[in-house]
Every structure is written in C-alpha cells, then in structure tokens.
Amino acid sequence: EPDLVAVYHEQIANTLRDTGLGSKATVITEAAGVVPYVSAWNHIDPVGLTDNYLSGRTPLTIPEREAYLWGRNADVYFGYEPPASAGAERPEDDARMQSRYVQEGLVQRELRLVQARVLLKDPVLLHHRMRELRDHWVLVGEIPWTGFDSWGLKSFAYVRNASPHREQLVKALQNLATTPPNAITL
C-alpha cells in the first residue's frame, strides 16, 4: 500500500513542477523535502527545518514568525486554515471561527513541537492569519489527503493575489483541489 502522505506531497510537487516556473516562484509549505526538490521552486518552511530565520536558533514571537511568513511574497500557500468570513474583523464575529473544524481541528488541538510551529491555537492570532488569507490570497480549494482521517486537518491551496503568476497557478492548482471554495464544509 502506498504512503498516502507521500503521494499527496508528490502530487503537489509534480503540479508545481509542471508549471515550469521553477525558481521564479515560491511556495509556503511544511513539506520541506519532495515539494521544493521536485518542483525546483523556492521554499519557505514554516517548520524551520530549511529556513535559518524560522529554525528556532533565535527565539521569535509568533507575530514575528507570521510577519516573516507573509512578508516573503510567496506565490502559493498550502495550509490548514480556511480564510476568514467576508467582513469579519474579530474572531468572535466570524462564523468560520465557531465551526467545528476550526474549534476542534485548530483551536482546541493539543500541539506537538512541529505542529506548534505551524498551527496557531490562539483565536486572535489564528484569525489574523485567516484574514491574511481572505484579504491577500485566492482560495483555490481543498485538496484531499489522508491528514484529515489521521489528524482531522484539511488541506487548502491558496495563490497570492499579487503573484505575477496568479492566473497560471490558480488554473494548475484547480486540478489538485477537488473541492472548490463554495463546496468546502467546516
């Protein structure tokens, strides 16, 4: 039986490689191995295994980590967070923050070391990230993967609005995202 997490990462890597963008594009994903290697894309690793700034050698606050991640002008982001609801500016005003998926999958989750470097449990910080995704990124859709069955986490694909490759990347990632934004359930 194939390793389904490896298959998921290989599908992402091959899709990015097939864009032909190589080092002209940057991806934020915790898959520090196959995705950047196969795609030849620049990689921002939120875990910090391949990024000296995020490695933990120098302690960073969560806002410093977030500013670094979102300030790098990546073209694509693969993550577990849905975008904030339209018009919601505070966690308590956002129906998505109250969803079972966000509450049980993200906010109330007990985090291990690697998860603590990627997931935000604090509702204010999490909602700040969700607003970043809503305001500056295009949600392409949900990518099916075994992580939902194992960890209760969904995989969302985003393309940065200001990416010079936006149209090409949205089209390419739509082949991976089997659930379009309007059909995602939380």
Side-chain angles (χ1 to χ4, degrees):
E1 183 175 309
D3 177 347
L4 297 178
V5 173
V7 169
Y8 161 79
H9 288 129
E10 288 169 10
Q11 290 174 332
I12 289 172
N14 292 335
T15 298
L16 297 181
R17 179 200 62 216
D18 292 348
T19 66
L21 292 171
S23 64
K24 295 180 211 155
T26 301
V27 60
I28 300 173
T29 178
E30 62 189 65
V34 69
V35 171
Y37 180 76
V38 170
S39 69
W41 280 39
N42 297 307
H43 177 234
I44 300 168
D45 173 17
V47 177
L49 296 175
T50 64
D51 191 305
N52 194 45
Y53 185 78
L54 297 175
S55 69
R57 288 185 183 99
T58 303
L60 300 172
T61 65
I62 293 174
E64 289 171 330
R65 288 178 62 80
E66 288 294 293
Y68 179 81
L69 284 175
W70 305 114
R72 301 294 306 256
N73 294 325
D75 298 283
V76 172
Y77 172 67
F78 294 101
Y80 309 112
E81 308 85 4
S85 299
E89 294 302 320
R90 300 178 317 157
E92 54 271 16
D93 300 332
D94 193 333
R96 289 186 180 155
M97 281 295 296
Q98 309 315 316
S99 69
R100 182 176 179 179
Y101 172 73
V102 170
Q103 287 300 307
E104 293 178 13
L106 301 174
V107 175
Q108 297 170 9
R109 170 179 292 283
E110 184 175 328
L111 301 180
R112 291 174 276 156
L113 179 60
V114 171
Q115 291 175 332
R117 295 170 89 48
V118 177
L119 300 176
L120 299 172
K121 286 181 57 141
D122 179 277
V124 172
L125 295 171
L126 173 59
H127 197 254
H128 185 269
R129 183 180 285 186
M130 290 168 61
R131 288 193 318 272
E132 165 70 28
L133 294 168
R134 175 195 66 200
D135 297 342
H136 302 289
W137 297 75
V138 176
L139 172 60
V140 178
E142 182 181 339
I143 302 171
W145 78 305
T146 189
F148 185 73
D149 295 333
S150 303
W151 305 296
L153 294 172
K154 294 176 177 260
S155 176
F156 301 110
Y158 292 89
V159 174
R160 186 171 53 91
N161 283 334
S163 170
H165 317 291
R166 178 183 168 185
E167 300 296 322
Q168 177 185 4
L169 292 172
V170 167
K171 184 176 179 182
L173 292 174
Q174 283 173 333
N175 295 323
L176 281 176
T178 58
T179 306
N182 62 351
I184 292 172
T185 59
L186 300 175

